[in-house]
């Protein structure tokens, strides 16, 4: 689940199955029943484009992804008072080296690369809105300079931000496809 609409859909689907949802947040649901029908839950979630993560390692990875998405999409990354590794370790209760090795082994990219991809997608969104300068976008996303953002943007997309703004057609990816 990567957005409030995703959370609402998951909650509605679980309630249709007559489960009492005690708590729901990005990537995590707690229901009152002790022995739920996981096959039924898995089936309705998959029909909506979600998956049920029963493997603990998959849950750690999903938690890391959700924490990064939350930071970037809510413009909190630029105000983070600690480095990302410390933040993720504190939020997950796991050592960063464990998270980093697990993430890389399963996802095929590093946590840092995943963060960059999320920041570039957010930059694309802000460029499309055309309400802020590139300098303001760079600051918002925690870049040290406009040049740094432009360099990463070109490395990821193959074009600089101004070329991207001139382009028409499909320009963004869904966050869960990154």
């Amino acid at each position: 689940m990567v957005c409030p609409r995703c959370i609402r859909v998951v909650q509605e689907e679980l309630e249709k199955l007559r489960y009492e949802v005690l708590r729901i947040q990005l990537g995590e649901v707690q229901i009152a029943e002790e022995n739920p029908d996981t096959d039924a839950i898995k089936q309705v979630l998959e029909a909506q484009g979600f998956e049920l993560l029963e493997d603990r390692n998959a849950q750690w990875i999903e938690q890391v992804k959700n924490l990064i998405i939350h930071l970037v999409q809510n413009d909190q990354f630029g105000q983070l008072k600690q480095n990302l590794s410390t933040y993720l370790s504190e939020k997950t209760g796991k050592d960063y080296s464990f998270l980093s090795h697990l993430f890389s082994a399963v996802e095929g990219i590093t946590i840092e690369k995943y963060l960059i991809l999320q920041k570039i997608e957010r930059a694309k969104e802000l460029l499309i809105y055309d309400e802020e300068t590139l300098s303001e976008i760079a600051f918002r996303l925690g870049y040290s300079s406009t040049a740094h953002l432009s360099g990463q943007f070109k490395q990821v997309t193959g074009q600089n931000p101004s070329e991207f703004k001139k382009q028409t057609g499909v320009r963004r990816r869904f966050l869960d496809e990154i």
Side-chain angles (χ1 to χ4, degrees):
M1 296 179 288
V2 296
C3 68
R5 286 180 301 279
C6 297
I7 290 172
R8 186 179 66 246
V9 168
V10 169
Q11 182 161 357
E12 288 171 359
E13 291 300 324
L14 290 172
E15 288 171 352
K16 284 180 192 174
L17 292 174
R18 303 205 187 286
Y19 287 112
E20 180 186 350
V21 177
L22 299 175
R23 185 173 58 86
I24 188 166
Q25 60 188 37
L26 291 179
E28 189 177 339
V29 177
Q30 182 180 7
I31 57 176
E33 288 73 8
E34 289 187 27
N35 296 309
D37 182 352
T38 55
D39 290 333
I41 293 172
K42 194 178 290 189
Q43 187 176 20
V44 298
L45 291 179
E46 287 175 359
Q48 294 294 333
F50 300 105
E51 64 180 305
L52 179 63
L53 299 178
E54 298 178 271
D55 176 294
R56 191 63 189 142
N57 287 340
Q59 292 173 2
W60 291 124
I61 292 168
E62 188 68 16
Q63 187 175 8
V64 167
K65 286 180 173 182
N66 287 332
L67 287 166
I68 290 171
I69 289 169
H70 180 77
L71 283 173
V72 174
Q73 290 299 312
N74 293 301
D75 301 319
Q76 295 175 342
F77 189 78
Q79 289 79 39
L80 197 60
K81 302 290 186 220
Q82 59 196 144
N83 62 33
L84 182 64
S85 59
T86 302
Y87 175 80
L88 293 175
S89 291
E90 286 179 2
K91 291 292 187 179
T92 62
K94 293 302 244 182
D95 182 67
Y96 183 76
S97 64
F98 165 79
L99 294 172
S100 178
H101 290 349
L102 178 65
F103 194 95
S104 295
V106 174
E107 295 297 313
I109 61 171
T110 64
I111 290 173
E112 291 77 15
K113 179 69 175 173
Y114 183 78
L115 171 64
I116 290 167
L117 294 173
Q118 290 295 330
K119 287 168 72 173
I120 296 304
E121 283 304 310
R122 179 70 172 144
K124 288 179 185 180
E125 177 183 6
L126 296 170
L127 286 167
I128 290 168
Y129 292 159
D130 200 25
E131 295 175 353
E132 297 178 77
T133 66
L134 189 59
S135 179
E136 291 169 327
I137 293 170
F139 176 77
R140 178 190 279 225
L141 295 175
Y143 283 96
S144 58
S145 68
T146 303
H148 187 206
L149 169 58
S150 295
Q152 278 192 346
F153 195 96
K154 182 159 181 110
Q155 187 178 28
V156 170
T157 67
Q159 51 191 189
N160 64 42
S162 59
E163 292 170 333
F164 174 81
K165 282 178 75 168
K166 293 176 188 171
Q167 175 185 327
T168 58
V170 177
R171 303 187 285 179
R172 297 200 49 226
R173 294 171 32 188
F174 292 109
L175 296 182
D176 59 349
E177 290 177 356
I178 296 175

